Amino acid sequence: MKVAIFGLGYVGFTAMCCIAADGHSVVGFDVSEKKVLGIRAGHPPIIEAGLEEMLQSGLTKGLISAHTKIGNRLADVDLAIVCVGTPSAPDGSHNMTYIAEVSRQIASAVKSGHRSTPLVVAYRSTIRPGTIEGLIAPIFRAELGADFAASVEIVYHPEFLREGSAVKDYFDPPKIVVGTVDGQPNECLALLNRNIQAPTFVVNYGEAELTKFVDNTWHALKVAFANEVGRVCLQLGLSASKVSEIFLSDTKLNISSYYMRPGGAFGGSCLPKDVRAFQYIAADCGAHTHVVDSLLRSNEAHKYRLYQYAANGLKPGGRVLLVGLAFKANTDDLRESPNIDLARAFLRDGYDLHVFDPAIDATKLVGANLGYAYTQIPTLSKLLVDKATAETTAYDRIVVTNDTGKLLELADKANVVEIARLP
């Protein structure tokens, strides 16, 4: 097939490389000229294991191209995949501006072209139930009129990628979910996923649209629950690790061990915004989900308690090394990273802060990642230190937030505080 990708962020760029690696031709679109030019030159806009090699292979084989304008490039495309962002709006709902705009652009491009078969338009962005029927389809109908059914076929195909293992998760996902207007399979998506072995669910739009909210809200709930247990243990002087070990030994009743260890707060580009949106959905329909409503408050309380724990006993103005700033080790995604909040707290209270995170190059951050990083920590570039500096400088406290700590040989372990796992 020839596949178009709209939005070359984490989800879109990963999909571009993986789809090309599977033998399809992929044309990508993004509003960022810097990102597009970088991709054309073989430089990935994100840090993920395997993507740079896959990008360069796709470019060499002529299977990957990137552009800022659609033009007439959809004329021979079989499948268009939309991966643009759906950030949080002020009321907690998803901001659908990018979804609406890219839908209008695709509809306009289809209208001006000449197609013998409908273009399948698959949305991977997280959207609330009713979005395809209440927002997306009406945009296409308004643009295409009587030609709507013959010109496009709209499907919803949520992604289940984790930062740090995005390529593996693309080819080995926990499940495949496809939402269609009649709950019947789509030929293009069946071909796209032909080499992926996973439980497959073909459902109506609404069930598919809600899936990601249910998953991400459950993941957020597991993290917050474990951290509340860990916080109680810290307050009582008990071993959070031992309590957690006992709890997690019960895989029959306690469901799963994933996301259930007491440690860092949840964050990143998915959980916080999708919990906010799920709260909005529940309130909007009168479901009264009080446990869900408490998740973000609990997470903020945990961030503060972790800062207290990390800074306990530090002298005023002490020198601190924060190991791991990104949401996860070996990525450069800083959006809603709880480690950003930790860094801001140290700076606010006057500590001399250094940050070691080799995946982050302040000069290469782009898009929302760039904007978030510098609005939260304007002095980011001055805080980052290299491995040699981190290993040889005398610090009053070393705070390890994730597996980035495994990259350092630290002589003085007495001043190390690990918050990825509470003791």
Side-chain angles (χ1 to χ4, degrees):
M1 292 189 296
K2 185 170 184 179
V3 181
I5 305 284
F6 290 86
L8 300 178
Y10 249 92
V11 174
F13 181 71
T14 299
M16 166 186 269
C17 294
C18 292
I19 291 170
D22 209 21
H24 303 286
S25 174
V26 187
V27 53
F29 299 97
D30 197 279
V31 295
S32 170
E33 185 177 7
K34 179 180 178 181
K35 187 184 295 185
V36 166
L37 292 176
I39 290 171
R40 289 177 182 174
H43 304 306
I46 60 172
I47 302 298
E48 276 283 345
L51 285 185
E52 184 169 7
E53 296 82 0
M54 296 170 76
L55 170 62
Q56 292 174 357
S57 175
L59 290 169
T60 300
K61 295 176 181 178
L63 294 177
I64 288 178
S65 63
H67 310 273
T68 57
K69 303 295 183 183
I70 299 175
N72 62 355
R73 295 184 176 92
L74 295 187
D76 58 346
V77 165
D78 303 291
L79 170 65
I81 302 177
V82 176
C83 303
V84 298
T86 52
S88 292
D91 62 1
S93 67
H94 277 165
N95 182 337
M96 303 305 293
T97 301
Y98 304 127
I99 289 286
E101 178 59 21
V102 78
S103 298
R104 185 196 63 77
Q105 291 178 9
I106 294 171
S108 179
V110 170
K111 181 180 181 181
S112 63
H114 301 283
R115 298 188 58 86
S116 57
T117 58
L119 172 66
V120 177
V121 185
Y123 287 78
R124 302 214 82 179
S125 308
T126 307
I127 54 178
R128 66 169 288 172
T131 298
I132 288 182
E133 293 178 320
L135 173 67
I136 294 170
I139 290 175
F140 279 91
R141 287 195 184 97
E143 191 73 30
L144 299 172
D147 295 329
F148 168 72
S151 299
V152 295
E153 182 177 349
I154 302 173
V155 300
Y156 185 61
H157 185 34
E159 50 80 22
F160 304 101
L161 307 181
R162 295 169 298 172
E163 293 175 16
S165 58
V167 172
K168 179 182 182 299
D169 288 345
Y170 182 90
F171 289 112
D172 185 24
K175 55 186 173 285
I176 295 172
V177 178
V178 177
T180 62
V181 66
D182 54 5
Q184 296 301 307
N186 175 271
E187 186 177 341
C188 277
L189 288 189
L191 180 57
L192 181 72
N193 296 316
R194 70 191 188 283
N195 293 326
I196 298 176
Q197 300 299 316
T200 300
F201 303 88
V202 181
V203 295
N204 293 317
Y205 290 139
E207 288 83 359
E209 289 168 318
L210 188 61
T211 295
K212 194 66 179 293
F213 290 104
V214 174
D215 284 8
N216 278 351
T217 302
W218 172 238
H219 299 329
L221 172 60
K222 289 192 288 186
V223 174
F225 173 77
N227 282 335
E228 288 188 359
V229 173
R231 194 157 67 247
V232 170
C233 290
L234 282 177
Q235 293 295 100
L236 297 178
L238 304 176
S239 170
S241 296
K242 183 55 65 177
V243 172
S244 177
E245 178 187 354
I246 296 168
F247 178 80
L248 293 178
S249 69
D250 183 357
T251 57
K252 183 178 294 184
L253 297 178
N254 291 341
I255 303 173
S256 167
S257 63
Y258 287 103
Y259 301 100
M260 293 297 286
R261 70 172 187 264
F266 64 78
S269 60
C270 291
L271 267 61
K273 77 178 181 68
D274 287 349
V275 171
R276 293 188 197 105
F278 194 65
Q279 287 179 260
Y280 179 87
I281 292 166
D284 197 39
C285 68
H288 307 299
T289 53
H290 298 295
V291 172
V292 172
D293 291 345
S294 71
L295 285 177
L296 293 172
R297 294 196 304 275
S298 176
N299 200 49
E300 290 302 315
H302 195 68
K303 290 178 185 178
Y304 180 69
R305 183 62 184 89
L306 287 179
Y307 170 65
Q308 289 182 313
Y309 176 59
N312 183 44
L314 264 177
K315 65 181 182 182
R319 181 172 291 173
V320 177
L321 175 65
L322 185 65
V323 182
L325 186 66
F327 170 47
K328 284 190 177 182
N330 301 315
T331 82
D332 63 346
D333 195 355
L334 298 170
R335 294 170 296 173
E336 296 211 41
S337 169
N339 305 323
I340 289 278
D341 297 284
L342 191 59
R344 283 165 54 88
F346 279 115
L347 292 170
R348 177 197 66 212
D349 289 351
Y351 292 103
D352 180 14
L353 181 67
H354 290 183
V355 175
F356 173 74
D357 197 326
I360 297 173
D361 184 335
T363 66
K364 294 183 179 179
L365 298 175
V366 296
N369 198 21
L370 173 66
Y372 187 86
Y374 278 94
T375 56
Q376 299 300 307
I377 306 182
T379 59
L380 174 62
S381 61
K382 296 182 179 179
L383 301 178
L384 294 168
V385 298
D386 59 18
K387 187 174 188 289
T389 302
E391 290 179 339
T392 58
T393 302
Y395 291 102
D396 299 299
R397 182 64 46 81
I398 298 173
V399 182
V400 179
T401 68
N402 56 37
D403 284 345
T404 304
K406 295 178 180 178
L407 303 177
L408 293 178
E409 293 293 330
L410 299 172
D412 186 4
K413 298 294 180 69
N415 288 330
V416 175
V417 173
E418 294 209 28
I419 63 171
R421 293 180 183 270
L422 295 179

